[in-house]
């Protein structure tokens, strides 16, 4: 064989810097949740102190998670994120189950729901007499096409939406605080019921929608194979992005309580619109409606950008369709993986099951987050046994901080299953179907 005639398989290109990584982290977190979920939290805990405490606790957990994933990104700066860490540190079948659940529950299900949320806001703003599913499909097709043009093109679009999203959040905070003089915020009473199991259960239930709003920082690790100096830029992007989002989220909730009070917040399903209505009338409500529309579109853009890198990594490991690992020689994008994800999201959007699928997400997501923390313990133990000293970014305060974070993830999963057993268990069951499929793929590869 003439080696000079061999064709080298194109690979992903490192074209993203620190700004891109930070915008991707923030874009993976900020969607429509912060504009809507404050009222859901207020239905479980009923005083400003408990509401803000819940968002603060969720923020601390999210920041701890970003520290964990910063070390993981520094150790394994390659495409695939959690799929790579779980498969390497625990077992390949666990990594496969993660990717399988991402494709059929967590990622594409979330994409379908967000595309339909965008469609409804878009139709409300434009007054077009079209079905929301049609707008959702058109949106998914356009964003999927843009991401097929290359990671930099997809990242630039996502960063553009991210800047607009930050503007919408800041507008809500500033207008809500400065233009509403009659404050309804009070710190008395601190608790809405005596200290008891009922209080703990209510607080745990409040964390479920809140943590859905905080989730998403980990998706930036999916594109580690396309980040310049990933061992430095990804950890920095994770910490800067997640920390900024936590501050913004707490300020949004303070403004909602300032304008509406705890009771008023619990009674409105559109708290952001209600605050802007009080601040600027119908014009304010229109502006924030546009902001939410842009925010959902930006979140969708980020999801389309990041998810395919996991399926690409699975294909390269021989546990998924080989074609999914194909990279376009010019755009350096995993085009087949991107298109496959877009088709799956469209099918789910057309099925009308997206709302139920969203209920699966929190329990499934936080199982993986907890296992991500467990990976740090495995890697540190390997370092100790091999006499290695990992020179990259490290989780500060390990093993105590990592242990607390991992136990918090376990508590969140238990709380979610306890409060929403049916949906949680269905989501986990779908992920479990990946176990036999993994071994079937291995047999197929062995016999090939």
């Amino acid at each position: 064989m003439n080696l000079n005639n061999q064709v080298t398989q194109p690979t992903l290109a490192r074209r993203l810097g620190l700004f891109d990584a930070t915008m991707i982290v923030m874009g993976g977190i900020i969607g429509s949740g912060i504009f809507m979920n404050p009222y859901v939290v207020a239905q479980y805990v009923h005083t400003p102190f408990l509401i803000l405490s819940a968002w603060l606790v969720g923020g601390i957990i999210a920041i701890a998670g970003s520290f964990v994933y910063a070390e993981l990104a520094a150790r394994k700066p390659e495409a695939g994120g959690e799929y790579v860490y779980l498969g390497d540190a625990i077992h390949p079948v666990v990594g496969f189950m993660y990717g399988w659940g991402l494709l059929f529950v967590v990622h594409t299900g979330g994409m379908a729901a967000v595309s339909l949320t965008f469609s409804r806001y878009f139709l409300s703003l434009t007054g077009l007499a079209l079905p929301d599913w049609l707008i959702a499909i058109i949106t998914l097709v356009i964003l999927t096409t843009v991401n097929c043009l290359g990671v930099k093109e997809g990242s630039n679009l996502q960063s553009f939406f991210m800047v607009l999203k930050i503007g919408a959040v800041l507008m809500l905070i500033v207008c809500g605080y400065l233009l509403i003089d009659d404050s309804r915020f009070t710190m008395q009473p601190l608790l809405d019921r005596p200290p008891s199991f009922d209080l703990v259960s209510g607080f745990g239930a409040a964390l479920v929608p809140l943590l859905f709003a905080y989730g998403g920082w980990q998706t930036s690790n999916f594109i580690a194979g396309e980040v310049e100096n990933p061992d430095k830029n990804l950890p920095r992007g994770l910490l800067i992005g997640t920390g900024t989002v936590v501050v913004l989220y707490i300020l949004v909730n303070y403004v909602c309580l300032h304008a509406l009070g705890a009771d008023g917040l619990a009674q409105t399903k559109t708290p952001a619109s209600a605050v802007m209505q009080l601040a600027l009338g119908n014009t304010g409500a229109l502006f924030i409606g546009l902001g939410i529309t842009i925010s959902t579109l930006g979140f969708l853009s980020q999801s389309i950008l990041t998810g395919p890198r996991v399926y690409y990594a699975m294909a390269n490991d021989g546990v998924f369709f080989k074609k999914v690992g194909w990279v376009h020689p010019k755009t350096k994008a995993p085009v087949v993986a991107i298109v496959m994800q877009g088709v799956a999201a469209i099918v789910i959007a057309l099925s009308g099951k997206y709302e139920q699928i969203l209920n699966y997400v929190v329990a499934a997501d936080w199982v993986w987050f907890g296992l991500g923390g467990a990976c740090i313990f495995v890697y540190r133990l390997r370092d100790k046994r091999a006499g290695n000293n990992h020179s990259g970014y490290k989780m500060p305060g390990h093993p105590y901080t990592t242990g607390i974070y991992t136990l918090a993830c376990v508590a969140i999963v238990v709380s979610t299953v306890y409060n929403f057993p049916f949906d949680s268990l269905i989501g986990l069951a779908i992920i479990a179907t990946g176990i036999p499929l993994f071994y079937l793929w291995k047999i197929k590869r062995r016999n090939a």
Side-chain angles (χ1 to χ4, degrees):
M1 180 182 292
N2 186 351
L3 297 179
N4 293 327
N5 292 331
Q6 290 186 23
V7 178
T8 303
Q9 170 67 31
T11 58
L12 303 177
R14 297 191 182 276
R15 295 174 175 173
L16 305 179
L18 175 59
F19 175 79
D20 300 303
T22 304
M23 291 297 99
I24 289 171
V25 170
M26 296 181 69
I29 302 173
I30 301 178
S32 59
I34 187 55
F35 298 105
M36 315 294 286
N37 285 358
Y39 94 90
V40 183
V41 175
Q43 289 182 335
Y44 290 110
V45 288
H46 312 300
T47 67
F49 173 77
L50 286 174
I51 292 168
L52 291 180
S53 294
W55 285 93
L56 179 61
V57 169
I60 291 171
I61 294 171
I63 290 174
S66 70
F67 277 110
V68 167
Y69 280 79
E71 176 170 338
L72 292 173
R75 286 180 175 274
K76 292 286 183 180
E78 53 198 78
E82 283 173 290
Y83 163 74
V84 174
Y85 317 142
L86 295 170
D88 178 60
I90 301 177
H91 193 280
V93 71
V94 180
F96 180 84
M97 288 169 65
Y98 172 78
W100 182 256
L102 202 74
L103 179 59
F104 290 104
V105 179
V106 178
H107 210 69
T108 50
M111 285 171 55
V114 171
S115 67
L116 286 159
T117 301
F118 164 78
S119 302
R120 289 164 185 172
Y121 276 101
F122 177 81
L123 293 172
S124 176
L125 287 171
T126 60
L128 294 174
L130 295 171
D132 56 6
W133 59 265
L134 179 60
I135 300 298
I137 291 175
I138 293 172
T139 304
L140 287 167
V141 168
I142 292 174
L143 293 178
T144 296
T145 302
V146 171
N147 278 276
C148 286
L149 299 177
V151 68
K152 191 61 180 178
E153 287 73 13
S155 175
N156 287 341
L157 180 64
Q158 197 283 135
S159 295
F160 171 73
F161 285 132
M162 189 61 240
V163 171
L164 294 180
K165 283 200 280 186
I166 293 173
V169 173
L170 290 175
M171 178 180 67
L172 174 62
I173 293 169
V174 172
C175 292
Y177 182 72
L178 294 180
L179 301 182
I180 299 176
D181 296 326
D182 185 17
S183 178
R184 299 190 178 189
F185 182 87
T186 176
M187 290 296 284
Q188 296 297 328
L190 292 178
L191 305 180
D192 58 7
R193 72 203 86 170
S196 60
F197 176 78
D198 184 52
L199 175 61
V200 174
S201 177
F203 195 85
L207 288 176
V208 174
L210 177 158
L211 289 169
F212 180 78
Y214 270 127
W217 72 83
Q218 80 287 354
T219 58
S220 62
N221 288 30
F222 295 171
I223 47 88
E226 293 153 286
V227 176
E228 299 169 350
N229 300 316
D231 55 330
K232 295 182 179 179
N233 285 334
L234 260 182
R236 290 172 183 170
L238 277 160
L239 300 178
I240 294 170
T242 306
T244 302
V245 170
V246 170
V247 172
L248 291 175
Y249 275 19
I250 291 174
L251 289 175
V252 166
N253 278 272
Y254 173 78
V255 164
C256 288
L257 291 166
H258 165 75
L260 305 172
D263 291 338
L265 179 58
Q267 292 170 8
T268 176
K269 293 186 177 181
T270 55
S273 298
V275 170
M276 291 301 292
Q277 180 80 36
L278 289 173
L280 292 172
N282 291 334
T283 302
L286 178 64
F287 278 151
I288 200 62
L290 180 61
I292 296 172
T293 304
I294 293 171
S295 185
T296 55
L297 192 61
F299 181 86
L300 187 59
S301 176
Q302 195 270 5
S303 298
I304 292 175
L305 171 67
T306 56
R309 275 65 189 175
V310 176
Y311 320 131
Y312 162 86
M314 292 168 67
N316 280 346
D317 286 346
V319 292
F320 210 52
F321 299 109
K322 185 178 180 180
K323 285 290 185 181
V324 175
W326 183 75
V327 173
H328 194 283
K330 291 185 178 180
T331 67
K332 304 296 183 182
V335 173
V336 177
I338 294 170
V339 172
M340 178 189 69
Q341 176 185 255
V343 171
I346 288 172
V347 170
I348 294 172
L350 288 173
S351 74
K353 301 294 185 182
Y354 62 95
E355 289 168 334
Q356 186 180 17
I357 289 171
L358 270 190
N359 292 331
Y360 308 158
V361 171
V362 173
D365 252 1
W366 287 87
V367 166
W368 304 124
F369 290 156
L371 289 174
C375 289
I376 298 294
F377 285 99
V378 174
Y379 284 128
R380 294 292 186 98
L381 182 61
R382 286 181 183 175
D383 288 344
K384 184 178 180 179
R385 288 177 174 174
N388 295 332
N389 183 21
H390 173 60
S391 58
Y393 180 87
K394 293 182 179 180
M395 174 72 173
H398 179 87
Y400 306 106
T401 51
T402 312
I404 292 170
Y405 164 77
T406 304
L407 289 175
C409 293
V410 172
I412 290 162
V413 173
V414 171
S415 175
T416 306
V417 174
Y418 175 79
N419 287 288
F420 311 100
F422 183 74
D423 289 342
S424 298
L425 293 175
I426 287 180
L428 295 173
I430 292 173
I431 292 171
T433 62
I435 297 174
L437 290 172
F438 170 80
Y439 288 104
L440 286 173
W441 234 295
K442 284 194 68 175
I443 293 171
K444 179 182 178 182
R445 182 177 59 177
R446 191 182 303 125
N447 295 334

